[in-house]
Amino acid sequence: MIDLRSLTKRTDLPDLETCLIHVASSLERSISVASLQAARSGVSGNLTIPHAIQVAQNAGLQAGYGAWTLSSFDNTLAPALLFLKDDRVVVFHGRSTSGRVLIYDPSLGDEIGEVFENNLQDVYTGYAIVFRRSQSEDTKNSGYPTAGHWFWSAMAANRWSYFQVVLAASIANLLGLSTSVFIMVVYDRVLPNEAKESLIALTIGVGLALLFDFALKLLRAGFIDQAGQKADLIIGRRIFNQLVDLRMTSRTGSTGAMASTVREFETLREFFTSATLVALVDLPFIGLFIFVIYLVGGPLALVPALAVPVVLMTGLIAQPILSRLAEQNFSDGQSKQSVLVETVSGLETIKTTAAAQQMRARWEDALERQSSHGVRSRAVTQFALNLTGFTQQAAQVLIVFYGVFLIADGHGSMGALIASVMLTGRALAPLGQLAQTLTRINQARSAFKNLNALMNATNERPQGQKWIRRPECQGQITFRNVEFTYPEQADATLSGLSFDIKPGEKVAILGPIGSGKSTVTRLLLGLYQPQSGSVMLDGVDIRQLDPGDLRRNIGTVLQDIWLFSGSIRDNIASGSTRPRDRDIIEAGKIAGVEDFTADRSGGYDLILSERGEGLSGGQRQSIALARALVTRPPILLLDEPTSAMDVKTEAKVIDRLKKATTDTTMVIVTHRTSLLSLVDRVIVIENGQVSADGPKSILTNHTLAQRRHLNVAAS
Ligand code: ADP
Ligand code: MG
């Protein structure tokens, strides 16, 4: 069970989220702040109603949003979320014996209070979410599958739309027969007898069929779009979630390559929302058309029956070539994107070194490959296209040729011949796009394959994993015999590392470059997992903790500082679920952000460009430090946090940090003597093991040579 009091105080959640957690815990389901955080979207960062429903469903609740009158709420519907005016949300808890309504209102505290129905009626918007515990935890009926295959389950959720598409296409195909039959009847029956009345009736009939056909085609396009749009939202979201939750070890390839894989979702989506799909539905109807030709023209059906296999054979032969070209096209796209992303992100360095030459060569290489593959792909497609066109025309000529002989022998009528020519045209029409369809299918397949690999890569939140909940921790950190080797590296980075940091202790980790100091921070944050041994927080192996809970407890400044585009305030706020303004300002003060924003016009609202460009290294470190401090986490993990600051600024930051973190467990990786004043104990790491561990004074006992080796001077 969640301790609501501490949660709401610590993170200051908005009403909807607090109420949601409240409802879940009263239904004996739990919703973690981490999952709320993950569900939040939109610029405002607020939880929207659909996302709130999704979070509830993920936690094993059925939730339904709708209009309810207040009088319809009785005890069986409790607990329910009621939406009030002014964006307030309360939880309905039933009615008291005196008939008053029991309400949990997050803005009034944790108690459940009684209100008169009239008073509630005045502010109630009429909309509510009602809940029920799901029997099984899967979300079959929700329409928003979160379990199951990322792609097929979303498609399956749309099966009704796709069924409608197939149905509409089938009827359209049947209606397509009407024109040919019309012409046949006119030639054979109407013309010889000059039966004008029949002609009028027939024309009206065929006209109606055409109109119906037109309407169906419009509907069909609508169905496909609708299905695509829904699938798009669900799948797009899941792909992004997977990207964010991906284990660091499953990150393969360059940034650009990965971005390009994700972008290929477009290709896949386009396939399922385009005319290509319709062309596929039309294929089986070729058989029907040939059968009808047989009915009206008898042996004439032989001609299309021979032409179809010819075209299909072309497709069959082209298929493996097109498939290979699609794969190549995909990897060409990836390498192009990789070069592009790498170049754009390193523009300053590339300009000032001779790297431009290298990048240009790579770029041109990628372009060349793509264009040569493109030429081959187009050649194959064009050949298949021309051959199909040729076969179509030849079939029509042949049918006329053969038909004349049949008529001469008294085996057919003029009308039947004309109808057969028309039907042959129709039968072969879906094959006309066979080459393009094949190309599209292959592209979609290769996109699917690559995305599927990404979606199946190991993820930090495997489905069905049960986490130990740890909303707030003491701050005890233990490394026990940790062995760790980076993926695809031969040598172990950490080999049997052990240490224990008590709550509230302040420790510096020292060591020569490449000794594994930053690796220790990554393991502690659960970004990587040790091959053997364990990393523990408060005596629990961190593999059992929700990564969100874990990282919320640890305020971190990583060695490579990453800031995103947005204001300084946004960047600091991103350290927390929902920081208050005064927390941001407080953190900014300690970290020294105020020192450089004070004399700028924008202050905290100064807009940074990507990765914090436009700020100096030290300023970026200040912001990152403020981001780490904003939630006042029980643990601070700082990897060379002041390495780019000048001595004076650093001294001020250290001074303020010291005052603000008396109870905090602090782990600092550093080479700076100045930072040692923050700590009481040092751990020296060498060759992946602890080579010295003790109070600060051990440094003074080291020989001068050792000290120089560690890059620290005696303090
Ligand atoms: P430092 O003590 O300087 O912070 P690190 O912990 O960053 O050292 O790195 C320790 C060793 O691990 C280095 O030899 C480095 O080559 C290797 N290493 C660091 N990060 C990675 C990575 N992402 N993949 C592979 N090897 C890495
Ligand atoms: Mg490092």
Side-chain angles (χ1 to χ4, degrees):
M1 199 68 75
I2 297 176
D3 180 0
L4 261 173
R5 197 176 307 247
S6 75
L7 250 177
T8 43
K9 279 232 181 80
R10 251 173 71 78
T11 51
D12 213 11
L13 293 168
D15 289 358
L16 177 57
E17 301 183 10
T18 317
C19 285
L20 202 58
I21 292 176
H22 183 88
V23 167
S25 64
S26 44
L27 287 172
E28 288 165 9
R29 294 279 191 269
S30 57
I31 289 175
S32 66
V33 179
S35 67
L36 284 174
Q37 194 164 17
R40 237 176 250 144
S41 64
V43 247
S44 64
N46 282 326
L47 194 70
T48 60
I49 291 167
H51 293 153
I53 290 176
Q54 202 177 349
V55 170
Q57 282 167 348
N58 289 351
L61 293 173
Q62 286 178 0
Y65 173 74
W68 293 80
T69 58
L70 201 54
S71 52
S72 63
F73 279 104
D74 55 16
N75 290 343
T76 57
L77 280 177
L81 279 187
L82 307 185
F83 292 92
L84 307 185
K85 291 178 186 147
D86 300 329
D87 284 335
R88 280 176 58 216
V89 188
V90 295
V91 179
F92 167 81
H93 263 288
R95 288 170 193 276
S96 68
T97 40
S98 55
R100 286 186 219 161
V101 185
L102 300 174
I103 288 293
Y104 163 75
D105 184 347
S107 56
L108 295 182
D110 295 326
E111 306 300 319
I112 291 173
E114 288 184 14
V115 292
F116 286 109
E117 181 158 349
N118 291 349
N119 295 351
L120 190 60
Q121 188 67 55
D122 291 342
V123 285
Y124 179 48
T125 58
Y127 288 91
I129 303 182
V130 293
F131 297 89
R132 199 173 58 186
R133 247 174 282 175
S134 330
Q135 290 310 320
S136 61
E137 293 215 352
D138 80 293
T139 49
K140 229 180 276 165
N141 305 321
S142 66
Y144 279 98
T146 51
H149 192 273
W150 63 277
F151 183 73
W152 296 122
S153 67
M155 283 289 147
N158 278 324
R159 56 185 172 266
W160 174 234
S161 295
Y162 283 112
F163 174 72
Q164 285 169 316
V165 171
V166 173
L167 195 70
S170 310
I171 298 174
N173 269 304
L174 289 178
L175 289 173
L177 290 172
S178 61
T179 16
S180 320
V181 174
F182 169 73
I183 286 177
M184 185 175 85
V185 175
V186 169
Y187 263 84
D188 289 350
R189 304 277 151 79
V190 177
L191 262 186
N193 310 321
E194 296 191 12
K196 291 196 186 121
E197 272 154 34
S198 320
L199 178 67
I200 291 170
L202 278 172
T203 312
I204 291 174
V206 87
L208 283 178
L210 287 181
L211 276 178
F212 191 47
D213 185 47
F214 176 71
L216 268 179
K217 282 189 174 139
L218 284 185
L219 274 180
R220 180 173 69 176
F223 290 146
I224 292 193
D225 267 350
Q226 198 186 17
Q229 203 180 18
K230 231 162 99 189
D232 205 17
L233 287 175
I234 303 172
I235 300 175
R237 200 180 161 83
R238 279 182 81 169
I239 291 179
F240 196 82
N241 283 352
Q242 167 74 357
L243 207 59
V244 179
D245 282 347
L246 208 60
R247 275 260 156 77
M248 294 304 288
T249 41
S250 343
R251 247 203 66 157
T252 46
S254 61
T255 315
M258 224 150 125
S260 130
T261 304
V262 172
R263 215 192 42 188
E264 280 303 304
F265 172 49
E266 303 284 314
T267 315
L268 192 62
R269 193 214 27 214
E270 201 152 295
F271 175 75
F272 279 94
T273 56
S274 69
T276 324
L277 201 64
V278 176
L280 281 182
V281 175
D282 284 344
L283 277 182
F285 286 92
I286 293 176
L288 175 78
F289 283 113
I290 294 180
F291 179 66
V292 176
I293 296 174
Y294 170 73
L295 287 184
V296 298
L300 278 178
L302 207 62
V303 177
L306 286 176
V308 169
V310 170
V311 180
L312 284 180
M313 282 295 282
T314 328
L316 222 59
I317 294 169
Q319 162 54 25
I321 308 174
L322 287 174
S323 160
R324 208 177 49 237
L325 286 171
E327 289 286 333
Q328 280 164 345
N329 185 37
F330 188 87
S331 66
D332 292 343
Q334 278 196 331
S335 38
K336 223 170 99 178
Q337 191 82 358
S338 305
V339 182
L340 206 58
V341 168
E342 209 172 335
T343 308
V344 172
S345 59
L347 216 48
E348 264 186 17
T349 313
I350 286 172
K351 275 179 194 295
T352 50
T353 59
Q357 198 53 40
Q358 261 183 43
M359 297 315 262
R360 192 177 299 120
R362 280 205 238 165
W363 173 247
E364 277 167 10
D365 187 46
L367 278 187
E368 209 167 292
R369 256 181 301 149
Q370 191 170 41
S371 88
S372 85
H373 289 149
V375 166
R376 268 161 57 199
S377 167
R378 273 190 298 278
V380 174
T381 315
Q382 203 57 46
F383 176 78
L385 201 68
N386 290 338
L387 189 74
T388 320
F390 170 78
T391 318
Q392 272 171 330
Q393 305 221 13
Q396 295 196 329
V397 171
L398 266 179
I399 252 189
V400 173
F401 180 78
Y402 185 29
V404 171
F405 281 98
L406 283 180
I407 293 173
D409 290 349
H411 287 306
S413 67
M414 205 79 138
L417 177 59
I418 294 177
S420 298
V421 172
M422 289 181 73
L423 284 170
T424 307
R426 257 205 93 110
L428 295 180
L431 291 178
Q433 293 147 14
L434 186 70
Q436 280 117 311
T437 309
L438 275 178
T439 310
R440 288 253 176 80
I441 292 178
N442 281 310
Q443 281 168 350
R445 208 180 57 167
S446 114
F448 175 78
K449 224 172 69 184
N450 284 283
L451 273 169
N452 202 34
L454 174 72
M455 295 304 286
N456 287 335
T458 36
N459 159 322
E460 286 181 338
R461 298 165 193 274
Q463 250 166 35
Q465 169 98 16
K466 293 268 182 284
W467 307 104
I468 294 180
R469 205 156 296 288
R470 192 54 52 114
E472 217 158 335
C473 76
Q474 301 298 314
Q476 186 191 17
I477 299 166
T478 315
F479 272 59
R480 187 176 296 158
N481 282 323
V482 172
E483 314 240 350
F484 176 72
T485 311
Y486 278 104
E488 291 165 31
Q489 297 279 307
D491 301 321
T493 302
L494 303 180
S495 38
L497 190 77
S498 298
F499 58 78
D500 187 46
I501 298 173
K502 285 190 260 317
E505 211 174 359
K506 298 182 172 42
V507 180
I509 297 185
L510 307 174
I513 53 161
S515 55
K517 305 182 297 293
S518 299
T519 307
V520 168
T521 64
R522 290 185 196 122
L523 288 180
L524 180 56
L525 289 164
L527 296 173
Y528 291 90
Q529 304 198 319
Q531 273 87 24
S532 73
S534 63
V535 179
M536 291 181 280
L537 184 65
D538 291 355
V540 179
D541 192 307
I542 60 167
R543 276 172 282 206
Q544 298 179 44
L545 299 177
D546 186 312
D549 273 350
L550 172 70
R551 289 165 202 163
R552 217 181 19 259
N553 274 307
I554 307 180
T556 318
V557 178
L558 293 177
Q559 193 170 1
D560 299 315
I561 300 214
W562 183 85
L563 301 176
F564 60 86
S565 49
S567 67
I568 291 181
R569 183 191 305 274
D570 291 343
N571 269 285
I572 298 177
S574 71
S576 161
T577 327
R578 183 161 293 268
R580 286 170 292 212
D581 252 10
R582 60 184 151 97
D583 288 339
I584 293 179
I585 288 168
E586 173 80 20
K589 230 178 232 163
I590 299 170
V593 177
E594 210 134 278
D595 299 346
F596 67 88
T597 51
D599 51 348
R600 295 205 186 191
S601 55
Y604 279 96
D605 293 318
L606 187 75
I607 300 292
L608 309 181
S609 45
E610 259 183 321
R611 285 175 292 129
E613 270 166 22
L615 289 181
S616 80
Q619 291 171 332
R620 265 180 263 176
Q621 283 182 332
S622 274
I623 295 175
L625 187 59
R627 180 169 65 190
L629 290 169
V630 75
T631 52
R632 313 197 146 268
I635 301 174
L636 270 181
L637 183 60
L638 313 175
D639 195 347
E640 322 226 9
T642 56
S643 56
M645 289 183 194
D646 61 279
V647 181
K648 230 165 105 189
T649 311
E650 189 191 26
K652 282 194 272 183
V653 170
I654 289 175
D655 191 43
R656 286 183 296 234
L657 202 56
K658 202 170 193 169
K659 287 190 191 115
T661 57
T662 42
D663 301 332
T664 315
T665 310
M666 189 141 68
V667 181
I668 308 180
V669 173
T670 183
H671 289 287
R672 293 248 180 157
T673 333
S674 39
L675 274 174
L676 290 180
S677 66
L678 277 173
V679 303
D680 317 310
R681 173 181 159 196
V682 293
I683 296 176
V684 182
I685 296 180
E686 262 173 294
N687 300 324
Q689 279 173 327
V690 175
S691 70
D693 182 352
K696 246 190 311 190
S697 56
I698 59 166
L699 285 179
T700 40
N701 303 335
H702 267 64
T703 64
L704 190 65
Q706 275 170 316
R707 258 187 267 144
R708 196 169 288 145
H709 182 54
L710 298 176
N711 280 329
V712 284
S715 49

